[in-house]
Coordinates of all heavy atoms in Angstrom, one line a residue:
E1366 N 96.6 99.0 90.9 CA 96.3 100.2 90.1 C 95.0 100.8 90.6 O 94.9 102.0 90.7 CB 96.1 99.7 88.6 CG 97.4 99.2 88.0 CD 98.4 100.3 87.8 OE1 98.0 101.4 87.4 OE2 99.6 100.0 88.1
N1367 N 93.9 100.0 90.8 CA 92.7 100.5 91.2 C 92.8 101.3 92.5 O 92.2 102.3 92.7 CB 91.6 99.4 91.4 CG 90.2 99.9 91.5 OD1 90.0 101.0 91.1 ND2 89.4 99.1 92.0
F1368 N 93.6 100.8 93.4 CA 93.9 101.4 94.7 C 94.4 102.8 94.5 O 94.0 103.8 95.1 CB 94.8 100.6 95.6 CG 95.1 101.2 96.9 CD1 94.2 101.1 97.9 CD2 96.3 101.8 97.1 CE1 94.5 101.7 99.1 CE2 96.6 102.4 98.3 CZ 95.7 102.3 99.3
L1369 N 95.4 102.9 93.6 CA 96.0 104.2 93.3 C 95.0 105.2 92.7 O 95.0 106.4 93.0 CB 97.2 104.1 92.4 CG 98.4 103.4 93.0 CD1 99.4 103.2 91.9 CD2 98.9 104.1 94.1
Q1370 N 94.1 104.7 91.9 CA 93.1 105.6 91.3 C 92.1 106.2 92.3 O 91.6 107.2 92.1 CB 92.4 104.9 90.2 CG 93.2 104.5 89.0 CD 92.5 103.6 88.0 OE1 91.4 103.2 88.3 NE2 93.2 103.3 86.9
K1371 N 91.9 105.4 93.3 CA 90.9 105.8 94.3 C 91.5 106.6 95.5 O 90.9 106.9 96.5 CB 90.1 104.6 94.9 CG 89.3 104.0 93.8 CD 88.5 102.9 94.4 CE 87.6 102.2 93.4 NZ 86.8 101.1 93.9
T1372 N 92.8 106.9 95.4 CA 93.5 107.4 96.6 C 94.3 108.7 96.2 O 95.0 108.7 95.2 CB 94.4 106.4 97.3 OG1 95.3 105.9 96.3 CG2 93.5 105.2 97.8
S1373 N 94.4 109.7 97.2 CA 95.2 110.9 97.0 C 95.2 111.8 98.2 O 94.1 112.1 98.7 CB 94.8 111.6 95.8 OG 94.4 112.9 96.0
A1374 N 96.4 112.3 98.7 CA 96.3 113.2 99.9 C 97.7 113.8 100.1 O 98.7 113.1 100.3 CB 95.9 112.4 101.1
P1375 N 97.7 115.1 100.2 CA 98.9 115.8 100.5 C 99.2 115.7 102.0 O 98.3 115.8 102.8 CB 98.6 117.2 100.1 CG 97.2 117.3 100.1 CD 96.6 116.0 99.9
F1376 N 100.5 115.6 102.3 CA 100.9 115.7 103.7 C 102.4 116.0 103.7 O 103.1 115.7 102.7 CB 100.5 114.6 104.6 CG 101.3 113.3 104.3 CD1 102.4 113.0 104.9 CD2 100.7 112.4 103.4 CE1 103.1 111.8 104.7 CE2 101.4 111.2 103.2 CZ 102.6 110.9 103.8
S1377 N 102.9 116.5 104.8 CA 104.4 116.8 104.9 C 105.2 115.5 104.7 O 104.9 114.5 105.2 CB 104.6 117.3 106.3 OG 106.0 117.4 106.5
T1378 N 106.2 115.6 103.9 CA 107.1 114.5 103.6 C 107.8 114.0 104.8 O 108.3 112.9 104.9 CB 108.1 114.8 102.5 OG1 108.9 115.9 102.9 CG2 107.4 115.0 101.2
D1379 N 107.9 114.8 105.9 CA 108.7 114.5 107.1 C 107.7 113.9 108.1 O 108.2 113.5 109.2 CB 109.4 115.7 107.6 CG 110.5 116.2 106.7 OD1 111.0 115.3 106.0 OD2 110.7 117.4 106.7
S1380 N 106.5 113.9 107.9 CA 105.5 113.5 108.9 C 104.9 112.1 108.7 O 104.4 111.9 107.6 CB 104.3 114.5 109.0 OG 103.4 114.1 109.9
C1381 N 105.1 111.3 109.7 CA 104.5 109.9 109.5 C 103.1 109.8 110.2 O 102.5 108.8 110.1 CB 105.4 108.9 110.2 SG 106.9 108.6 109.1
D1382 N 102.7 110.9 110.9 CA 101.4 110.8 111.5 C 100.5 111.9 111.0 O 99.5 112.3 111.6 CB 101.5 110.9 113.0 CG 102.2 112.1 113.5 OD1 102.6 113.0 112.7 OD2 102.4 112.3 114.7
A1383 N 100.8 112.4 109.8 CA 99.9 113.4 109.1 C 98.6 112.7 108.7 O 98.5 111.6 108.5 CB 100.6 114.0 107.9
F1384 N 97.5 113.5 108.6 CA 96.2 113.0 108.3 C 96.0 112.9 106.8 O 96.4 113.8 106.1 CB 95.1 113.7 109.0 CG 95.1 113.4 110.5 CD1 95.7 114.2 111.4 CD2 94.4 112.3 110.9 CE1 95.7 113.8 112.7 CE2 94.4 112.0 112.2 CZ 95.0 112.7 113.1
I1385 N 95.4 111.8 106.4 CA 95.1 111.6 104.9 C 93.8 112.4 104.6 O 92.9 112.4 105.3 CB 94.8 110.2 104.7 CG1 96.0 109.3 105.1 CG2 94.6 109.9 103.2 CD1 97.3 109.7 104.5
S1386 N 93.9 113.1 103.5 CA 92.7 113.9 103.1 C 92.7 114.2 101.6 O 93.8 114.3 101.1 CB 92.8 115.2 103.9 OG 92.3 116.3 103.2
P1387 N 91.6 114.2 101.0 CA 90.3 113.7 101.4 C 90.1 112.3 100.8 O 90.2 112.2 99.7 CB 89.4 114.7 100.7 CG 90.1 115.1 99.5 CD 91.6 115.0 99.8
N1388 N 90.0 111.3 101.5 CA 89.8 109.9 101.1 C 91.0 109.1 100.7 O 90.8 108.0 100.5 CB 88.8 109.8 100.0 CG 87.4 110.2 100.3 OD1 87.1 110.4 101.5 ND2 86.6 110.4 99.3
M1389 N 92.1 109.8 100.4 CA 93.1 109.0 99.7 C 94.5 109.4 99.9 O 94.9 110.4 100.4 CB 92.8 109.1 98.2 CG 91.3 109.3 98.0 SD 90.8 108.4 96.6 CE 89.3 109.2 96.3
L1390 N 95.4 108.5 99.4 CA 96.8 108.7 99.4 C 97.3 109.1 97.9 O 96.8 108.5 97.0 CB 97.6 107.4 99.7 CG 97.3 106.9 101.1 CD1 97.9 105.5 101.2 CD2 97.9 107.8 102.1
N1391 N 98.2 110.1 97.8 CA 98.7 110.3 96.5 C 99.9 109.3 96.2 O 100.2 108.5 97.1 CB 99.2 111.8 96.3 CG 100.3 112.1 97.2 OD1 101.1 111.3 97.7 ND2 100.4 113.4 97.6
L1392 N 100.4 109.3 95.0 CA 101.4 108.3 94.7 C 102.6 108.4 95.6 O 103.1 107.3 96.1 CB 101.9 108.5 93.2 CG 102.9 107.5 92.7 CD1 102.4 106.1 92.9 CD2 103.2 107.8 91.3
S1393 N 103.1 109.5 96.0 CA 104.2 109.7 96.9 C 103.9 109.1 98.3 O 104.7 108.4 98.8 CB 104.6 111.2 97.0 OG 105.6 111.4 98.0
S1394 N 102.7 109.4 98.8 CA 102.3 108.9 100.1 C 102.2 107.4 100.0 O 102.6 106.7 100.9 CB 100.9 109.5 100.5 OG 101.0 110.9 100.5
F1395 N 101.6 106.9 98.9 CA 101.4 105.4 98.8 C 102.8 104.8 98.8 O 103.0 103.7 99.4 CB 100.7 105.1 97.5 CG 100.5 103.7 97.2 CD1 99.6 102.9 97.9 CD2 101.4 103.1 96.3 CE1 99.5 101.5 97.6 CE2 101.2 101.7 96.0 CZ 100.3 101.0 96.7
T1396 N 103.8 105.4 98.0 CA 105.1 104.8 97.9 C 105.7 104.7 99.3 O 106.3 103.7 99.7 CB 106.0 105.6 97.0 OG1 105.3 105.6 95.7 CG2 107.4 105.1 96.9
K1397 N 105.6 105.8 100.1 CA 106.2 105.9 101.4 C 105.5 104.8 102.4 O 106.2 104.2 103.2 CB 106.1 107.3 102.0 CG 107.0 108.2 101.3 CD 106.8 109.6 101.8 CE 107.6 110.6 100.9 NZ 107.3 111.9 101.2
L1398 N 104.2 104.7 102.2 CA 103.5 103.8 103.0 C 103.9 102.4 102.7 O 104.1 101.5 103.6 CB 102.0 104.0 102.8 CG 101.0 103.1 103.6 CD1 101.2 103.4 105.1 CD2 99.6 103.5 103.3
M1399 N 104.0 102.1 101.4 CA 104.4 100.7 101.0 C 105.8 100.4 101.5 O 106.1 99.3 102.0 CB 104.4 100.6 99.5 CG 103.0 100.5 98.9 SD 102.1 99.0 99.4 CE 103.1 97.7 98.7
K1400 N 106.7 101.4 101.4 CA 108.1 101.2 101.8 C 108.1 100.8 103.3 O 108.8 99.9 103.8 CB 108.9 102.4 101.6 CG 110.4 102.3 101.9 CD 111.2 103.5 101.6 CE 112.6 103.3 102.0 NZ 113.4 104.5 101.9
K1401 N 107.4 101.6 104.1 CA 107.3 101.4 105.6 C 106.8 100.0 105.9 O 107.3 99.3 106.7 CB 106.5 102.5 106.2 CG 106.5 102.4 107.7 CD 105.9 103.7 108.3 CE 106.1 103.7 109.8 NZ 106.0 105.1 110.3
L1402 N 105.7 99.6 105.2 CA 105.1 98.3 105.4 C 106.0 97.2 105.0 O 106.0 96.1 105.6 CB 103.7 98.2 104.7 CG 102.6 99.0 105.4 CD1 101.4 99.2 104.5 CD2 102.2 98.4 106.7
Q1403 N 106.7 97.4 103.9 CA 107.6 96.3 103.4 C 108.8 96.2 104.4 O 109.3 95.1 104.5 CB 108.1 96.7 102.0 CG 107.0 96.4 101.0 CD 107.4 96.9 99.6 OE1 108.1 97.9 99.4 NE2 106.9 96.2 98.6
E1404 N 109.2 97.3 105.0 CA 110.3 97.2 106.0 C 109.8 96.4 107.2 O 110.5 95.6 107.8 CB 110.8 98.6 106.4 CG 111.6 99.3 105.3 CD 111.8 100.7 105.7 OE1 111.4 101.2 106.7 OE2 112.5 101.4 104.8
I1405 N 108.6 96.7 107.7 CA 108.0 96.0 108.8 C 107.7 94.5 108.5 O 107.8 93.7 109.4 CB 106.7 96.8 109.3 CG1 107.1 98.2 109.8 CG2 106.1 96.0 110.4 CD1 105.9 99.1 110.0
H1406 N 107.2 94.3 107.3 CA 106.8 92.9 106.9 C 107.5 92.5 105.7 O 106.9 92.3 104.6 CB 105.3 92.9 106.7 CG 104.5 93.4 107.8 ND1 104.2 92.6 108.9 CD2 103.9 94.6 108.1 CE1 103.5 93.3 109.8 NE2 103.3 94.5 109.3
P1407 N 108.8 92.2 105.8 CA 109.6 91.8 104.6 C 109.1 90.4 104.0 O 109.3 90.2 102.8 CB 111.0 91.6 105.1 CG 110.9 91.5 106.6 CD 109.6 92.2 107.0
E1408 N 108.3 89.7 104.8 CA 107.8 88.4 104.3 C 106.6 88.6 103.4 O 106.2 87.6 102.6 CB 107.5 87.5 105.4 CG 106.2 87.8 106.2 CD 106.2 89.1 107.0 OE1 107.3 89.7 107.2 OE2 105.1 89.4 107.5
A1409 N 106.0 89.7 103.5 CA 104.7 90.0 102.7 C 105.0 90.5 101.3 O 105.9 91.3 101.1 CB 103.9 91.0 103.5
S1410 N 104.3 89.9 100.3 CA 104.5 90.4 99.0 C 103.8 91.8 98.8 O 103.0 92.1 99.6 CB 103.8 89.4 98.0 OG 102.4 89.4 98.1
R1411 N 104.2 92.5 97.8 CA 103.5 93.8 97.5 C 102.0 93.6 97.3 O 101.3 94.4 97.9 CB 104.2 94.4 96.2 CG 103.6 95.7 95.8 CD 104.3 96.3 94.6 NE 103.6 97.4 94.1 CZ 103.9 98.7 94.6 NH1 104.7 98.9 95.5 NH2 103.2 99.7 94.1
D1412 N 101.6 92.6 96.6 CA 100.2 92.3 96.4 C 99.5 92.1 97.7 O 98.3 92.6 97.9 CB 99.9 91.2 95.5 CG 100.3 91.5 94.0 OD1 100.4 92.7 93.7 OD2 100.4 90.6 93.2
K1413 N 100.1 91.3 98.6 CA 99.5 91.1 99.9 C 99.3 92.3 100.7 O 98.3 92.5 101.4 CB 100.3 90.0 100.7 CG 99.7 89.5 102.0 CD 100.5 88.4 102.6 CE 99.8 88.0 103.9 NZ 100.5 86.9 104.5
I1414 N 100.3 93.2 100.7 CA 100.3 94.5 101.4 C 99.2 95.4 100.8 O 98.4 95.9 101.6 CB 101.7 95.2 101.4 CG1 102.7 94.4 102.2 CG2 101.5 96.6 101.9 CD1 104.1 94.9 102.0
V1415 N 99.1 95.4 99.5 CA 98.0 96.2 98.9 C 96.6 95.7 99.2 O 95.7 96.4 99.6 CB 98.2 96.3 97.3 CG1 97.0 96.9 96.7 CG2 99.4 97.1 97.0
D1416 N 96.5 94.3 99.2 CA 95.2 93.7 99.7 C 94.9 94.1 101.1 O 93.7 94.4 101.4 CB 95.3 92.2 99.5 CG 95.3 91.8 98.1 OD1 94.9 92.6 97.2 OD2 95.6 90.6 97.8
A1417 N 95.9 94.1 102.0 CA 95.7 94.5 103.4 C 95.3 95.9 103.5 O 94.4 96.3 104.3 CB 96.9 94.2 104.2
L1418 N 95.9 96.8 102.7 CA 95.5 98.2 102.7 C 94.1 98.4 102.2 O 93.3 99.2 102.8 CB 96.5 99.0 101.8 CG 97.9 99.3 102.4 CD1 98.8 99.8 101.3 CD2 97.8 100.3 103.5
L1419 N 93.7 97.7 101.2 CA 92.3 97.8 100.7 C 91.3 97.3 101.8 O 90.3 97.9 101.9 CB 92.2 96.9 99.4 CG 92.9 97.5 98.2 CD1 92.9 96.5 97.1 CD2 92.3 98.8 97.8
E1420 N 91.7 96.3 102.5 CA 90.9 95.8 103.6 C 90.7 96.9 104.7 O 89.7 97.1 105.3 CB 91.4 94.5 104.2 CG 90.4 93.9 105.2 CD 90.8 92.4 105.6 OE1 91.5 91.8 104.8 OE2 90.4 92.0 106.6
V1421 N 91.8 97.5 105.0 CA 91.8 98.6 106.0 C 90.8 99.7 105.5 O 90.0 100.2 106.3 CB 93.2 99.3 106.2 CG1 93.1 100.6 107.0 CG2 94.1 98.2 107.0
R1422 N 90.9 100.1 104.3 CA 90.0 101.1 103.7 C 88.6 100.6 103.8 O 87.7 101.3 104.2 CB 90.4 101.4 102.3 CG 89.6 102.6 101.7 CD 90.0 103.0 100.3 NE 89.6 101.9 99.4 CZ 89.9 102.0 98.1 NH1 90.6 102.9 97.6 NH2 89.5 101.0 97.3
K1423 N 88.3 99.3 103.4 CA 87.0 98.7 103.4 C 86.4 98.8 104.9 O 85.3 99.1 105.1 CB 87.0 97.3 102.9 CG 85.7 96.6 103.0 CD 85.9 95.2 102.4 CE 84.7 94.3 102.9 NZ 84.9 92.9 102.7
N1424 N 87.3 98.4 105.8 CA 86.9 98.4 107.2 C 86.6 99.8 107.8 O 86.0 99.9 108.9 CB 87.9 97.6 108.1 CG 88.0 96.2 107.8 OD1 87.1 95.6 107.2 ND2 89.1 95.5 108.2
N1425 N 87.1 100.8 107.1 CA 86.9 102.2 107.6 C 85.9 102.9 106.7 O 86.1 104.0 106.2 CB 88.3 102.9 107.6 CG 88.2 104.2 108.3 OD1 87.8 104.2 109.5 ND2 88.6 105.3 107.7
K1426 N 84.8 102.2 106.4 CA 83.7 102.8 105.6 C 84.2 103.1 104.2 O 83.6 104.1 103.6 CB 83.1 103.9 106.3 CG 82.5 103.6 107.6 CD 81.9 104.8 108.3 CE 81.5 104.4 109.7 NZ 81.1 105.6 110.5
G1427 N 85.2 102.5 103.7 CA 85.6 102.7 102.3 C 86.5 103.9 102.1 O 86.8 104.2 100.9
I1428 N 87.0 104.5 103.1 CA 87.9 105.7 103.0 C 89.1 105.6 104.0 O 89.0 104.8 105.0 CB 87.1 107.0 103.3 CG1 86.5 107.0 104.7 CG2 86.1 107.2 102.2 CD1 85.9 108.3 105.1
L1429 N 90.1 106.3 103.6 CA 91.2 106.4 104.5 C 91.3 107.8 105.2 O 92.1 108.1 106.0 CB 92.5 106.1 103.8 CG 92.7 104.7 103.3 CD1 94.0 104.6 102.4 CD2 92.7 103.7 104.4
N1430 N 90.4 108.6 104.8 CA 90.3 110.0 105.3 C 90.2 110.0 106.8 O 89.4 109.3 107.4 CB 89.0 110.7 104.7 CG 89.0 112.1 105.0 OD1 90.0 112.8 105.2 ND2 87.8 112.7 105.1
G1431 N 91.0 110.8 107.4 CA 91.0 110.9 108.9 C 91.9 110.0 109.6 O 92.1 110.1 110.8
L1432 N 92.5 109.0 108.9 CA 93.4 108.1 109.6 C 94.8 108.6 109.4 O 95.2 109.0 108.3 CB 93.3 106.7 108.9 CG 92.0 105.9 109.1 CD1 92.1 104.6 108.3 CD2 91.7 105.7 110.6
S1433 N 95.6 108.5 110.5 CA 97.0 108.9 110.3 C 97.8 107.8 109.6 O 97.3 106.7 109.5 CB 97.6 109.2 111.7 OG 97.7 107.9 112.4
I1434 N 98.9 108.2 109.1 CA 99.8 107.2 108.4 C 100.1 106.0 109.4 O 100.0 104.9 109.1 CB 101.1 107.8 107.9 CG1 100.7 108.8 106.8 CG2 102.0 106.7 107.3 CD1 100.1 108.3 105.6
N1435 N 100.4 106.4 110.6 CA 100.7 105.4 111.7 C 99.6 104.5 111.9 O 99.7 103.3 112.1 CB 101.2 106.1 112.9 CG 102.6 106.6 112.8 OD1 103.4 106.2 112.0 ND2 103.0 107.6 113.7
S1436 N 98.4 105.1 112.0 CA 97.2 104.3 112.2 C 97.0 103.3 111.0 O 96.6 102.1 111.2 CB 96.0 105.2 112.3 OG 94.8 104.4 112.5
I1437 N 97.2 103.7 109.8 CA 97.0 102.9 108.6 C 98.1 101.8 108.7 O 97.7 100.6 108.4 CB 97.2 103.7 107.3 CG1 96.0 104.7 107.2 CG2 97.3 102.8 106.1 CD1 96.2 105.7 106.0
V1438 N 99.3 102.1 109.1 CA 100.4 101.1 109.2 C 100.0 100.1 110.3 O 100.1 98.8 110.0 CB 101.7 101.7 109.5 CG1 102.8 100.7 109.9 CG2 102.2 102.5 108.3
E1439 N 99.5 100.5 111.4 CA 99.1 99.6 112.5 C 98.0 98.7 112.1 O 98.0 97.5 112.3 CB 98.7 100.4 113.7 CG 99.9 101.1 114.4 CD 99.4 102.1 115.5 OE1 98.2 102.0 115.9 OE2 100.2 102.8 116.0
R1440 N 96.9 99.3 111.5 CA 95.8 98.4 111.0 C 96.2 97.4 110.0 O 95.7 96.3 109.9 CB 94.7 99.3 110.6 CG 94.0 100.2 111.7 CD 93.0 101.1 111.2 NE 92.5 102.0 112.2 CZ 91.3 102.5 112.2 NH1 90.4 102.3 111.2 NH2 90.9 103.3 113.2
T1441 N 97.0 97.9 109.0 CA 97.5 97.0 108.0 C 98.4 95.9 108.6 O 98.2 94.7 108.2 CB 98.3 97.8 106.9 OG1 97.5 98.9 106.4 CG2 98.7 96.9 105.8
S1442 N 99.2 96.2 109.5 CA 100.0 95.2 110.2 C 99.2 94.1 110.9 O 99.6 92.9 110.8 CB 101.0 95.9 111.2 OG 101.9 96.7 110.5
V1443 N 98.1 94.5 111.5 CA 97.3 93.5 112.2 C 96.7 92.5 111.1 O 96.7 91.3 111.4 CB 96.1 94.3 112.9 CG1 95.0 93.3 113.3 CG2 96.6 95.0 114.1
I1444 N 96.3 93.0 110.0 CA 95.8 92.2 108.9 C 96.9 91.3 108.4 O 96.6 90.1 108.1 CB 95.1 93.0 107.8 CG1 93.9 93.7 108.4 CG2 94.8 92.2 106.6 CD1 93.4 94.8 107.5
L1445 N 98.1 91.8 108.2 CA 99.2 91.0 107.6 C 99.6 90.0 108.6 O 100.1 88.9 108.3 CB 100.4 91.9 107.2 CG 100.1 92.8 106.0 CD1 101.2 93.8 105.9 CD2 100.0 92.0 104.8

C-alpha cells in the first residue's frame, strides 16, 4: 500500500521501456510491472516482489524516476 502511495507515472501501455516520471508508477504501471515480474519469478510471492521493488527504489536514491521499466525489472530480478 505504501509503495502505491509513493508511486505514479504515465507511459504508453505498449511500451516496456518507457521512462517513469516523476518518481513513481501509477496503479496501471505497477500492475503491469508486477505481472511481468511474477511471470519471470513465479516462485516469488507478491510481498517478496514488492519488497524487492522497494529495495530498487531505495538503491536509486529513493526514486524510480528516470529508470525504464526494463531497468526496474532487471534490477528487481537481481534482488529476487
Side-chain angles (χ1 to χ4, degrees):
E1366 294 293 320
N1367 194 22
F1368 179 76
L1369 292 176
Q1370 291 171 355
K1371 293 183 179 178
T1372 58
S1373 119
F1376 70 89
S1377 167
T1378 56
D1379 296 328
S1380 178
C1381 284
D1382 58 0
F1384 286 93
I1385 305 302
S1386 147
N1388 294 346
M1389 329 215 197
L1390 297 169
N1391 62 28
L1392 183 56
S1393 174
S1394 301
F1395 176 77
T1396 301
K1397 290 174 189 171
L1398 184 58
M1399 286 298 295
K1400 182 177 178 188
K1401 187 167 188 160
L1402 287 165
Q1403 287 172 325
E1404 288 171 359
I1405 296 169
H1406 303 283
E1408 76 289 352
S1410 70
R1411 180 178 172 84
D1412 287 345
K1413 187 172 180 182
I1414 292 171
V1415 170
D1416 288 345
L1418 284 166
L1419 290 171
E1420 189 170 334
V1421 169
R1422 187 175 71 183
K1423 178 182 163 193
N1424 293 342
N1425 195 54
K1426 300 177 185 173
I1428 59 172
L1429 295 175
N1430 188 28
L1432 295 178
S1433 69
I1434 297 296
N1435 285 338
S1436 178
I1437 294 169
V1438 168
E1439 288 171 12
R1440 292 176 187 209
T1441 304
S1442 293
V1443 168
I1444 294 167
L1445 291 170

